[in-house]
Amino acid sequence: FKNPHYATGRTTMVHLFEWKWDDIAAECERFLGPRGFGGIQISPPNENLVIWSRNRPWWERYQPMSYRLVTRSGNEQQFANMVRRCNNVGVRIYVDAIINHMTGTWNENVGTGGSTANFGNWHYPAVPYGRNDFNWPHCVIQGHDYACCADRVRNCELSGLKDLNQRSEHVRTMIVNYMNRLIDMGVAGFRIDAAKHMWPSDLRVIYDRLRNLNTAHGFPSGARPYIYQEVIDLGGEAISRNEYTPLAAVTEFRFGMELSRAFTRGNQLRWLVNWGPQWGLLGSGDALTFIDNHDNQRGHGAGGNILTHKRPKEYKGAIAFMLAHPYGKPQLMSSFSFHDTEAGPPMDGSGNIISPSINSDNTCGNGWVCEHRWRQIFQMVAFRNTVGNTAVTNWWDNGGNQIAFCRGTMGFVAFNNENWDLNQRLQTCLPAGTYCDVISGEKSGNRCTGKSVVVGNDGRAQIVIGSHEYDMVLAIHMGHQS
Ligand code: ARE
Ligand code: CA
């Protein structure tokens, strides 16, 4: 369950938060496929409670009403069409699976597919689930439970969301049927929402019953779905991420926390010389890595001082480090812009999501940030694809916040997070020639629109990153020789 089954040479996925299926299909064909992205995490595809009393917040999608594939993102046919079109251009789909709970109790009780529930009776006829499918006695997780009481974290409600009992054979069957239906439609794996709130022994039963990936969608025979479990473990928890790594991969929340700290000068970049398990991070193969996610970019979940698109220079620095360094399996966040942390995606008066528009410079409009279309970000995806499994070599630092390293003989990257310029002759490990920096520009014909870096016969080059430049990174690789 730890292999994403990306198409050959691809390494990175992006979370297209709240995108519609038709728009994702188009994005696969016009951008993600050609640019070498490996996959997409999509918002939950199953029917959710419609919450007009909060003006359709983004979090209504974490309130399952049934496993019917009808949401604001589209219906079942649109979903199937998206998966097929994305797989056709080598981009995999990973589903955000909410299997810990059903909706909380609200005055409104109609789902995005028209299903209803009787909350007082724990009755969800469209699945169907009834009273016996939930954990008893009824209780709600309190803040201090996270530090003391694993059983309460797993058997009580997460903020009032009705807590399913995954030991129930009926619950297991409904969940497995839902996930297998998606596998048959061609998805490559799942994010397991709120995995911490379920017993590992129950999750193991569920995972073991999943079918192999669908060979008609280009997966090798016998391929198991990629599973990454959402377990927030920043330390001091009754439940450890290590309880889940024997099952499948885990979201490594310490990764974004530490890199956010380093790139906001809370820690010197030079300490990243031994980035990885020596920092207390999970083993590389166990970790789904990211800077921000849909929760902590808006102060939900573990919160903290996480870098987001709202601090672009530091954010692009942290993202570039994530993509340049071999540790983990990286996931990019692609957001809609927001001020109100509860606000849903751009929508019209009827609650329909408004599609992103594509500007002439390839960035997005209509309220969509589309970090994945920022040149400094998508070109580092190509960097990661190009350098492959090569090792970090020739680490250099100035004893502070200027660092540089090679990836084998395939790529070289430098960072300047000081108040003064970086201007050094450094070993790039690349063959002699002229390379286009993929951060300040790109290769156009056989010239560079940004900086050119001239590598001499000794592999060295003069590397310049001014402290007032737009970006703090310079990156060159074998794919961008001019
Ligand atoms: C909403 C309302 C609530 C209301 C509830 C029920 O905000 O006021 O009571 O509905 O009607 C998202 C939102 C929630 C939202 C929920 C359902 O973030 O605000 O509740 O959708 O609509 C814990 C969990 C972790 C979880 C985070 C948010 O461990 O699994 O909280 N993250 C996932 C998703 C979220 C989603 C859910 C789970 C629910 O990514 O987007 O919630 O499906 C410590 C602990 C962490 C804990 C954290 C915060 O750091 O270590 O484990 O995270 O505190 O409590
Ligand atoms: Ca639970």
Side-chain angles (χ1 to χ4, degrees):
F1 302 113
K2 294 180 182 176
N3 180 348
H5 294 291
Y6 290 140
T8 309
R10 303 191 184 224
T11 59
T12 304
M13 74 161 87
V14 55
H15 178 20
L16 295 183
F17 181 46
E18 290 272 21
W19 278 51
K20 291 186 285 186
W21 309 151
D22 290 349
D23 295 334
I24 291 178
E27 190 70 352
C28 281
E29 291 165 351
R30 71 191 168 199
F31 190 82
L32 299 172
R35 291 288 182 179
F37 282 73
I40 305 164
Q41 179 184 309
I42 58 165
S43 280
N46 65 299
E47 179 175 17
N48 64 266
L49 180 65
V50 174
I51 307 183
W52 269 115
S53 59
R54 298 293 189 86
N55 200 31
R56 311 283 321 255
W58 63 269
W59 44 260
E60 72 169 38
R61 296 190 73 159
Y62 291 88
Q63 307 237 358
M65 181 61 103
S66 79
Y67 300 127
R68 295 176 54 205
L69 301 182
V70 196
T71 60
R72 282 206 277 186
S73 287
N75 61 28
E76 174 157 359
Q77 189 205 327
Q78 290 166 314
F79 180 87
N81 183 52
M82 164 187 73
V83 177
R84 187 167 24 78
R85 286 167 64 189
C86 289
N87 276 330
N88 279 344
V89 293
V91 182
R92 304 309 193 193
I93 300 291
Y94 304 87
V95 167
D96 195 350
I98 312 171
I99 58 176
N100 172 63
H101 53 261
M102 300 299 283
T103 66
T105 297
W106 287 81
N107 291 329
E108 300 152 283
N109 78 335
V110 181
T112 46
S115 305
T116 57
N118 183 339
F119 302 128
N121 280 328
W122 276 257
H123 189 212
Y124 294 82
V127 179
Y129 284 138
R131 271 187 113 77
N132 295 334
D133 298 317
F134 294 86
N135 281 319
W136 301 102
H138 170 262
C139 48
V140 177
I141 300 168
Q142 308 297 313
H144 61 257
D145 288 334
Y146 285 108
C148 68
C149 306
D151 52 340
R152 285 186 52 87
V153 172
R154 286 169 173 150
N155 295 343
C156 298
E157 292 178 349
L158 168 59
S159 52
L161 298 154
K162 303 258 186 273
D163 202 47
L164 287 165
N165 175 4
Q166 289 81 15
R167 267 138 300 156
S168 147
E169 184 52 37
H170 176 68
V171 170
R172 289 175 175 175
T173 304
M174 294 299 103
I175 290 172
V176 167
N177 287 352
Y178 166 56
M179 294 173 77
N180 275 339
R181 196 148 53 91
L182 297 168
I183 289 173
D184 289 349
M185 291 169 90
V187 310
F190 303 92
R191 168 189 186 264
I192 305 296
D193 181 72
K196 179 198 270 185
H197 302 274
M198 295 179 276
W199 294 93
S201 51
D202 294 330
L203 290 175
R204 186 184 290 278
V205 172
I206 290 168
Y207 301 164
D208 283 345
R209 290 188 194 173
L210 297 178
R211 298 206 184 107
N212 292 337
L213 300 183
N214 189 341
T215 53
H217 282 261
F219 297 104
S221 74
R224 304 299 285 147
Y226 179 50
I227 293 180
Y228 51 103
Q229 308 164 100
E230 189 224 6
V231 179
I232 301 176
D233 177 6
L234 299 175
E237 294 266 343
I239 295 171
S240 158
R241 58 197 175 153
N242 298 323
E243 296 174 50
Y244 292 85
T245 48
L247 303 177
V250 168
T251 52
E252 179 49 284
F253 279 85
R254 299 184 200 193
F255 182 97
M257 185 187 74
E258 294 289 3
L259 286 186
S260 294
R261 182 178 296 156
F263 279 86
T264 53
R265 295 198 195 147
N267 203 350
Q268 290 182 325
L269 294 187
R270 67 164 162 150
W271 299 118
L272 296 173
V273 62
N274 61 354
W275 182 238
Q278 289 189 59
W279 277 66
L281 303 180
L282 290 167
S284 182
D286 289 336
L288 189 282
T289 54
F290 50 94
I291 302 301
D292 56 331
N293 79 350
H294 72 282
D295 284 328
N296 62 21
Q297 73 167 194
R298 46 174 52 69
H300 280 239
N305 291 314
I306 297 294
L307 279 170
T308 73
H309 65 266
K310 296 188 182 198
R311 285 185 71 175
K313 187 170 180 179
E314 293 86 350
Y315 186 62
K316 286 179 285 179
I319 295 273
F321 185 85
M322 169 173 84
L323 292 172
H325 194 282
Y327 177 82
K329 296 204 168 40
Q331 180 181 65
L332 296 168
M333 180 69 205
S334 187
S335 316
F336 55 82
S337 55
F338 63 91
H339 301 289
D340 172 359
T341 57
E342 312 299 308
M347 63 175 177
D348 66 20
S350 315
N352 300 309
I353 296 174
I354 297 172
S355 299
S357 56
I358 308 297
N359 302 322
S360 57
D361 65 356
N362 266 324
T363 60
C364 292
N366 282 351
W368 298 86
V369 182
C370 292
E371 294 91 319
H372 70 284
R373 278 176 170 266
W374 294 5
R375 181 188 65 236
Q376 300 86 340
I377 293 182
F378 71 75
Q379 297 216 121
M380 286 307 294
V381 173
F383 178 103
R384 190 179 191 82
N385 291 345
T386 302
V387 302
N389 300 326
T390 56
V392 172
T393 60
N394 291 75
W395 180 278
W396 170 88
D397 63 60
N398 72 336
N401 286 306
Q402 295 178 344
I403 60 171
F405 57 89
C406 303
R407 290 295 306 277
T409 56
M410 299 298 286
F412 166 85
V413 65
F415 298 80
N416 178 17
N417 203 18
E418 300 282 15
N419 284 327
W420 58 88
D421 297 349
L422 167 65
N423 192 346
Q424 285 278 335
R425 195 154 181 88
L426 295 175
Q427 178 55 253
T428 69
C429 311
L430 294 173
T434 303
Y435 297 81
C436 299
D437 170 28
V438 300
I439 300 295
S440 58
E442 57 196 340
K443 195 174 129 186
S444 165
N446 54 5
R447 45 173 289 276
C448 305
T449 63
K451 295 177 192 170
S452 298
V453 178
V454 181
V455 174
N457 288 327
D458 60 355
R460 302 174 85 83
Q462 196 68 25
I463 302 299
V464 181
I465 310 174
S467 63
H468 294 296
E469 281 184 33
Y470 194 65
D471 286 297
M472 64 167 83
V473 187
L474 177 150
I476 53 178
H477 63 84
M478 289 302 278
H480 266 62
Q481 238 173 323
S482 81

